[in-house]
Amino acid sequence: MRILHLDKDTKQNLLDELLKRSPNHYGKYEQSVNEILKEVKLRRDAALFEYTKKFDGAQINASNIRVTKEEIEEAYRLTDDSLVAVIRKALHNIRIYHEKQRQTSWFDSRPDGTVLGQKVTPLQRVGVYVPGGKAAYPSSVLMNILPAKVAGVDEIVMVTPPGKDGKVASTTLVAAREAGADVIYKAGGAQAVAALAYGTESIPKVDKIVGPGNIFVALAKKAVYGHVSIDAIAGPSEILVIADETANPRYVAADLLSQAEHDELASAILVTTSRELAEKVSRETEQFIAQLERSEIIRKSLDNYGYILVADTMEDAIDTANEIASEHLEIQTQNPYEVMTKIRNAGAIFIGEYSSEPLGDYFAGPNHVLPTNGTAKFFSPLSVDDFIKKSSIIAYSKDALADIHEDIEYFAQAERLGAHANSIRVRFEEDEGGRRR
C-alpha cells in the first residue's frame, strides 16, 4: 500500500478522490433507470416481467413471482443446519440491540387543560431490497428486516432477483423467514424498486424502500424518493483505521483488506502516528493478498483508494478521520476510548484490537447498513427509527387558549396571515347578549 505523509494537501487530495466514488456521479446511467421506472409505472406487471427476463434471464409471471411455502421449505433443506444455527445466533444479537432503540408515544398534561405529546406509529408497509444474482447476503437480509420487525411494521415485503432458473438463493430465503419477512417476490434491479414505489398487479406499493443494491438500484431509489421514503443511497464500502505504535500490524492489515475485497471502488485507509507501523502494515497486506481468494479485486481496490497516512500527532489523525467520516472506523491505539470520545463522524466505531469490522457485519448486533461517502457527518446507521413516524399531539382547553389567544392573533397578523388570526379570534367573539360563544 502507498504510504504518504499526512499534511493539508494530502488530506484535501484524498477527500477529492474519495468523493469521486459518490453515487451522485452515476449520471450516465440515469436515463436507462428513468426509462425502466416509467415503463413499470405505466405497464406494471407486464414491464416488470419483461425486464426480469431481459436482465435476469428468468421467466417470471403472476403465477410464480411470489415465493411459496414449498420453496422456503426447500431452502431449509438445502441450507446446512450449522449455518441456520449461526443465522439464529446473529438474529438474536441483532434483535436485542435494536429492541433498545424502541420509542414510545408520550403525553404531557397540565392543570389548565393543555395536553401536548408525540404519537409514535410504525410504518404500515415497507419494501426490503436484497441483492441476488451471483452472491447471497443473508446478513443483509437480517440487518434490513429486523429493525422493521422490532419497530412493529405491519407488512414487510422483500424483493430479490431470481436466478435464471427462477429460484432465489436458499440462504437468502432462510434468513428472510427467520427475520420475519411477510412476503417475498422474485424481482430485482430498478424494475423491482419501481414496483415497490408505484405498485403493480402483483407487488403492492410500499411506504418506504430500504436495502443495498447496484448502481441501477441506487439510482432508482434516488428517483422514486418522494413517491416513497428510502433509507439512503449507499456507496462503495469504506474502512478507516486509526492506529499508533501499539497496534498489531497483522491485525490492521487484515482489517483493511476485509473491506477492500468488496469491490474495486472500496476504500481502505490507515491513519497512524507511527512510520514503523505503516511500513509493517504495508508488508503484511502484500502477504495477505498473495493468499486471499479475491486478490485481484483487493489489489485494484488498494491501487484506487487504499492509503496509509502517517500523521505527526494523534490529533491530526483524529481530525482526518472526522473529515473523511468513514462508514467503518476502527481505533487500535493505546487509549482507544479516549480517542473514541473525540470522534464526531463515523458510521460505526470499533474499539480495540479484538473489535474487527466483520464483527459488526455479521454478529455483534448493531446494524451494518451504514452511511457512506462522508454522509456519516449527517446520517446514522439503519435503525428502528427508520421504520416509525411521529405525529405531534396538541389539545387545549378553552381556558388554556384564552390566556394566549391575543398573542397568537398578533403573531399571525405580523405575518399578514389574517385567516390564521381569525381562526383563533372567532373562538372568543361575543354574541349579541354580551356572552362569549
Side-chain angles (χ1 to χ4, degrees), residues 262-282:
H262 272 295
D263 62 62
E264 296 170 9
L265 294 177
S267 168
I269 300 171
L270 165 64
V271 186
T272 179
T273 51
S274 169
R275 166 67 69 165
E276 181 180 358
L277 178 74
E279 293 171 351
K280 287 181 178 178
V281 169
S282 182

Side-chain angles (χ1 to χ4, degrees), residues 348-405:
I349 303 173
F350 300 79
I351 300 173
E353 64 180 9
Y354 290 101
S355 304
S356 177
E357 187 279 333
L359 178 65
D361 274 351
Y362 296 108
F363 214 77
N367 210 288
H368 77 199
V369 180
L370 302 167
T372 58
N373 283 109
T375 60
K377 291 180 178 179
F378 44 84
F379 279 146
S380 303
L382 191 73
S383 72
V384 170
D385 292 350
D386 288 287
F387 299 100
I388 61 172
K389 58 190 179 72
K390 302 169 185 176
S391 302
S392 301
I393 301 296
I394 302 169
Y396 266 59
S397 66
K398 183 175 182 180
D399 288 342
L401 185 61
D403 290 337
I404 60 171
H405 79 94

Side-chain angles (χ1 to χ4, degrees), residues 28-270:
K28 64 181 179 179
Y29 302 104
E30 284 184 349
Q31 185 175 348
S32 298
V33 168
N34 288 337
E35 182 64 24
I36 293 171
L37 297 177
K38 176 184 173 184
E39 286 296 305
V40 174
K41 185 177 183 180
L42 180 66
R43 298 194 295 117
R44 306 172 77 193
D45 266 358
L48 176 63
F49 299 152
E50 288 172 15
Y51 284 122
T52 302
K53 177 65 176 176
K54 178 179 179 180
F55 296 126
D56 300 310
Q59 195 69 49
I60 299 298
N61 54 53
S63 67
N64 66 5
I65 188 171
R66 181 169 175 162
V67 172
T68 64
K69 178 183 177 182
E70 291 73 23
E71 287 175 299
I72 293 175
E73 290 173 350
E74 180 187 25
Y76 274 89
R77 291 194 297 271
L78 294 173
T79 304
D80 289 341
D81 290 343
S82 56
L83 179 56
V84 176
V86 170
I87 287 173
R88 288 172 177 167
K89 289 178 182 178
L91 184 151
H92 174 76
N93 292 341
I94 297 165
R95 179 189 290 118
I96 293 299
Y97 181 87
H98 286 82
E99 283 176 346
K100 297 182 186 300
Q101 298 175 341
R102 279 190 179 128
Q103 296 189 47
T104 56
S105 302
W106 59 268
F107 301 91
D108 178 27
S109 60
R110 301 173 186 171
D112 64 2
T114 300
V115 177
L116 299 177
Q118 181 172 270
K119 183 176 182 292
V120 176
T121 308
L123 300 184
Q124 184 173 354
R125 183 184 292 129
V126 166
V128 175
Y129 186 95
V130 175
K134 298 179 181 179
Y137 300 101
S139 62
S140 288
V141 177
L142 301 181
M143 292 292 182
N144 281 278
I145 291 178
L146 276 168
K149 201 72 178 176
V150 170
V153 171
D154 291 352
E155 185 179 5
I156 300 171
V157 178
M158 191 179 106
V159 295
T160 188
K164 291 182 180 180
D165 58 0
K167 295 185 176 182
V168 175
S170 59
T171 55
T172 296
L173 293 183
V174 168
R177 167 55 65 88
E178 293 291 327
D182 293 296
V183 60
I184 306 167
Y185 293 102
K186 302 170 187 176
Q191 61 271 21
V193 174
L196 292 172
Y198 307 127
T200 73
E201 294 90 343
S202 296
I203 298 179
K205 182 185 186 305
V206 301
D207 301 313
K208 185 167 187 171
I209 301 172
V210 303
N214 61 19
I215 291 172
F216 295 95
V217 171
L219 285 174
K221 287 171 66 178
K222 182 180 178 182
V224 301
Y225 178 66
H227 294 279
V228 293
S229 180
I230 63 171
D231 49 353
I233 307 297
S237 296
E238 307 165 343
I239 185 170
L240 187 148
V241 180
I242 297 177
D244 60 16
E245 69 281 355
T246 68
N248 184 317
R250 189 166 176 81
Y251 295 172
V252 174
D255 293 354
L256 291 171
L257 301 187
S258 73
Q259 293 306 290
E261 76 170 343
H262 272 295
D263 62 62
E264 296 170 9
L265 294 177
S267 168
I269 300 171
L270 165 64

